[in-house]
Amino acid sequence: MENKAEQGFLERVFHLKENHTDVKTEIIAGITTFMTMAYILAVNPNILSATGMDRGAVFTATALASLIATLLMAAFANYPFVLAPGMGLNAYFAYTVVLQMGYSWEMALAAVFVEGLIFIALSLTSVREAIFNAIPMNLKHAVSAGIGLFIAFIGLQNAKIVVESATLVSVFSFKGSLESGTFSSVGITVLLALIGVLITGILVVKNVKGNILWGILITWLLGIICEVTGLYQPNADLGMFSVLPDFSSGFGIQSMAPTFFKMDFSGILSFNFITIMFAFLFVDMFDTLGTLIGVASKADMLDKEGKLPKIKGALMADAVGTSLGAVFGTSTTTTFVESASGVAEGGRTGLTSVVAALFFGLSLFLSPIFLAIPSFATAPALIIVGFLMVSSILKIDFNDFTEAIPSYIAIIAMPFMYSISEGIAMGVISYVVINLATGHAKEKKISLLMYVLAVLFVLKYVLI
């Protein structure tokens, strides 16, 4: 009886039937999304600690910012999107703003905080919503497909299947790892990741419920077996760590005091500060819009006009999350592209977000477990989700070259330029220029905002 009452409550809050989902599906989707992005709990403290920030404090700030921002997404929009401090933005924060340009991390946090406030204002005034709606439908499908390639590429890199080389990238050399004696540390994990891709693929074909989550857990379990039997030997120098949870420091929450409210606004009026703040603003805005377009398109959440019904709430959650994250002591909090893994599992409402948020809360106490999930176990999930998202390319009208060529440019720009926002920029610029130059602009009824965006993107490349 109590179970039915609980389900009734969840139905009223999240409108599960209306969104063609159920409690079990949403829980699996939430766990899957969390598992595919739990790496941020390990990676973000590593990256930001390069600036001198306290690693433990950044871990707590990362988990807490993710928890609150994701709950806001569920409350404001009832969408299955999960937020956390974004990859790329954290690297820009640490390596460019602090280490290269010489600003203190306190001042960089101030720039992120101000950016979040501007986002809140833009979300209230519908500017970001208007930008989302101005992007043509074919480009929206292209963004979804481009993100598919992008996250697959991230998965291949995380697993070290694809490595840097004289040709920029190449495939991992098993022969080389055997000759150099690194097979037991790196080679075996690459092999496990490849096996994980096949296992996850088989589970998807068999339509096993929770297939992507099972793929992560099985690959992790294989890693544990390999470590226990001595086949896998962790090597910190090569970035290969133990896949067994380390409880030597016990349980408990790391103090956030070293980074909490440590923002420095002393240089807020300088030109460089404004430039940095706008760089954060640009990347965050178009990464978020790209993620919302791509994931919502894949989940069939867009209406007939290509609009996302509750986008204002989704953007507000993202904006508030950014400013809160800066207060806690972490770089820009944004909507994660890994949300696609939960959507692929059938997640359609904010209940998916709530489940993921609860796991971020749990991670505050159980950090050893979540920090032990290796990248070679989550990589297969990203690669297979990439396949599921790239299928959006089938919705693009390839008979109309004025639509197809800009879409193609947007798709290839994302993985090759390693940025969702750059893919959108290239897609928008090429769409406007090609349609103008070929005399199709009037019949396409390209909105004024698209022209404005194209000019702004060009200026960004010239000035920033």
Side-chain angles (χ1 to χ4, degrees), residues 264-408:
D264 175 11
F265 295 100
S266 61
I268 197 167
L269 297 176
S270 71
F271 177 75
N272 278 347
F273 181 91
I274 293 167
T275 304
I276 292 161
M277 187 269 298
F278 272 110
F280 278 129
L281 188 72
F282 172 85
V283 177
D284 188 14
M285 174 183 284
F286 289 100
D287 267 16
T288 301
L289 285 174
T291 301
L292 290 177
I293 289 168
V295 180
S297 172
K298 190 63 201 163
D300 291 324
M301 290 176 178
L302 303 181
D303 62 21
K304 288 176 184 176
E305 296 173 1
K307 295 179 180 178
L308 188 59
K310 289 171 280 190
I311 188 174
K312 190 170 275 191
L315 294 171
M316 184 58 74
D318 190 281
V320 174
T322 291
S323 286
L324 269 179
V327 170
F328 296 154
T330 184
S331 52
T332 308
T333 301
T334 187
T335 308
F336 254 59
V337 72
E338 281 83 356
S339 301
S341 61
V343 167
E345 287 286 7
R348 291 293 180 272
T349 74
L351 182 53
T352 292
S353 302
V354 169
V355 171
L358 291 175
F359 271 88
F360 274 114
L362 199 59
S363 70
L364 288 166
F365 302 92
L366 302 174
S367 56
I369 293 173
F370 297 114
L371 292 176
I373 301 170
S375 55
F376 68 78
T378 56
L382 296 178
I383 293 164
I384 295 296
V385 169
F387 154 74
L388 296 171
M389 291 199 72
V390 86
S391 63
S392 294
I393 203 168
L394 298 171
K395 296 178 183 176
I396 297 168
D397 181 7
F398 280 97
N399 294 316
D400 183 348
F401 285 1
T402 62
E403 296 283 324
I405 293 172
S407 297
Y408 165 72

Side-chain angles (χ1 to χ4, degrees), residues 198-215 218:
L198 294 174
I199 289 169
T200 310
I202 291 165
L203 293 172
V204 168
V205 172
K206 290 281 189 183
N207 204 24
V208 174
K209 198 73 175 168
N211 43 43
I212 292 165
L213 176 59
W214 279 115
I218 292 168

